[in-house]
Every structure is written in structure tokens, then in C-alpha cells.
Amino acid sequence: MNAPTPRPFSALLHAQRVWDTELPDFDPATAPPAPLPLFHAWFADAVAAGQPEPHAMTLATTDADGLPDVRTLLLHDADARGFHFASHATSAKGHQLAARPYAALGFYWPSLGRQVRVRGPVTRCTPAESHADLHARSTGALAAALTGTQSAVVESVAALHRAADAAWERARAEPDAEAPTWTRYVVEPAETEFFQGDARRRHIRLRYRRTETGAETGAWTRELLWP
């Protein structure tokens, strides 16, 4: 019996649907004066809606040639300082942030048709905060931090497995083990945009821009954008 002929990629792509569910309303007139409370509320909504991994986000940086680079990682906190994440300072993203300490973040919660975009300067937390960040997480997270040199070339999958097995053993035996290059970073938002999708494509985009002049330093300007 012959196997079915695979569908052309374009046909498969265009057969996919977007937001086949009832989406929430968002009235930007009711939005708070600063973006953090709205982010907290939208995150809680995503959790309540059963959105898988709502704390997953994309992180965009630029390399030595000014070219964009992007990857997905996890949010570690969102507070008055900004949006927290962690990585090795010796990784590709760590080198890029050391040279150009500015980044963009993207969150996407399709169960609600919502996106949040953040841009701003990046600062490194103290070694004590970075140590606490790593050891507040799971044994697996510690083992991953102790495995090899992030972003470096590894000669084989077997070598990766050997290093990972050794790291797991060390993480179990030494739960307070140091990972000297592990670093917690904070993106201080200069801009934060909230996107609420609409089935009729009347999407709502609300952008907050930080005011940096005069008596309004630390305040936010809110702007409604065309979708």
C-alpha cells in the first residue's frame, strides 16, 4: 500500500487557523498608568486560560556585526526593576549583551490572542543575586548550568550525554555548587506594547513609552497604535 502523498508545505501552512476561540475584550481606556500591573494581570489571565509555558519569551539581541539574534527562554521575574532572565555570561547572548546592553523581549499567549513586547537597556545583577537565582531553581536547571560551555561547539551527542550525566551527579551531590558564569539580567523597559487580537482584525495595540524629561521622569506615556 502506497503511503499518502504529503501535502505541499504552502497548502499545509494556509490551512492553519488563528484564534479559533472566543477572545477577551480589552479597553485601553481602562489600562493602568504604568505597564507592570497590566503585564501581571495579563500573565495571570494566561495562566488561568491554561496557556502552556506562559513564562516562555523570546529574547532578541545584536551580534558584533549589528545583526539580530533571537532565542526562547524563561522569564524569572517581572518587578519594578524590569524583566528578569538568566544565562551564562560566556554564552553568545552574554557576549552580545556585554558589548551592546540593550534587548527586546516578546511574549505570545495564543489562547488569549495576546502579545507583549518589551524593549530597553539591560543590566547585570550582582553575583549574589545570580547565585540565588540559580539555586532557587530545580536540580535539572543546576545540572544544565554545570554542563559544558554554553554556545561552544561540542564534538558529539555522546560527549554531550557524558557531560550532562556528570553534571547531574554533581548537582545532586552538591546542590549549592557554583556556576561562576551564571548571570541574572534585567531588561529595564523603555517601551512596552500590549497587543490584543480580534477575530475581525480590529487588533488593539497599546504602547507605553517611558518619559525621561523634566518632572515626568519615570512616568509613562500611553499611545494607541494602528494594528
Side-chain angles (χ1 to χ4, degrees), residues 18-110:
V18 178
W19 304 327
D20 281 341
T21 184
E22 184 175 350
L23 299 179
D25 293 324
F26 173 49
D27 181 358
T30 65
L36 184 61
L38 184 55
F39 179 82
H40 285 167
W42 276 28
F43 186 88
D45 290 345
V47 172
Q51 174 64 53
E53 298 182 355
H55 55 328
M57 63 184 187
T58 55
L59 167 70
T61 55
T62 53
D63 67 13
D65 297 316
L67 300 176
D69 206 350
V70 68
R71 72 288 288 165
T72 301
L73 67 171
L74 298 180
L75 178 70
H76 287 203
D77 200 1
D79 60 15
R81 295 166 62 187
F83 292 76
H84 300 235
F85 65 93
S87 183
H88 287 284
T90 51
S91 67
K93 69 179 85 61
H95 288 303
Q96 291 167 4
L97 290 171
R100 294 167 182 79
Y102 206 93
L105 305 175
F107 298 85
Y108 179 45
W109 301 313

Side-chain angles (χ1 to χ4, degrees), residues 26 31-40 42 78-83 102-107 109 115-121 187-196 204-211 219-225:
F26 173 49
L36 184 61
L38 184 55
F39 179 82
H40 285 167
W42 276 28
D79 60 15
R81 295 166 62 187
F83 292 76
Y102 206 93
L105 305 175
F107 298 85
W109 301 313
Q115 298 181 59
V116 180
R117 300 168 58 207
V118 179
R119 294 199 302 171
V187 180
E188 179 185 352
E191 294 183 8
T192 306
E193 181 188 318
F194 295 84
F195 172 100
Q196 174 62 69
I204 299 296
R205 294 176 61 190
L206 178 65
R207 180 173 64 191
Y208 289 78
R209 289 191 298 110
R210 191 182 293 275
T211 302
W220 295 89
T221 297
R222 292 183 298 178
E223 300 166 318
L224 191 62
L225 308 178

Side-chain angles (χ1 to χ4, degrees), residues 96-180:
Q96 291 167 4
L97 290 171
R100 294 167 182 79
Y102 206 93
L105 305 175
F107 298 85
Y108 179 45
W109 301 313
S111 60
L112 296 170
R114 287 176 172 174
Q115 298 181 59
V116 180
R117 300 168 58 207
V118 179
R119 294 199 302 171
V122 180
T123 58
R124 292 177 57 161
C125 293
T126 65
E129 288 178 294
S130 297
H131 178 86
D133 174 273
L134 180 59
H135 293 90
R137 303 176 71 207
S138 66
T139 300
L142 176 59
L146 296 171
T147 301
T149 302
Q150 190 176 41
S151 301
V153 175
V154 60
E155 62 269 24
S156 66
V157 173
L160 169 63
H161 287 180
R162 287 194 299 271
D165 290 345
W168 269 93
E169 290 181 12
R170 184 182 175 197
R172 292 189 184 103
E174 303 174 45
D176 204 41
E178 294 282 356

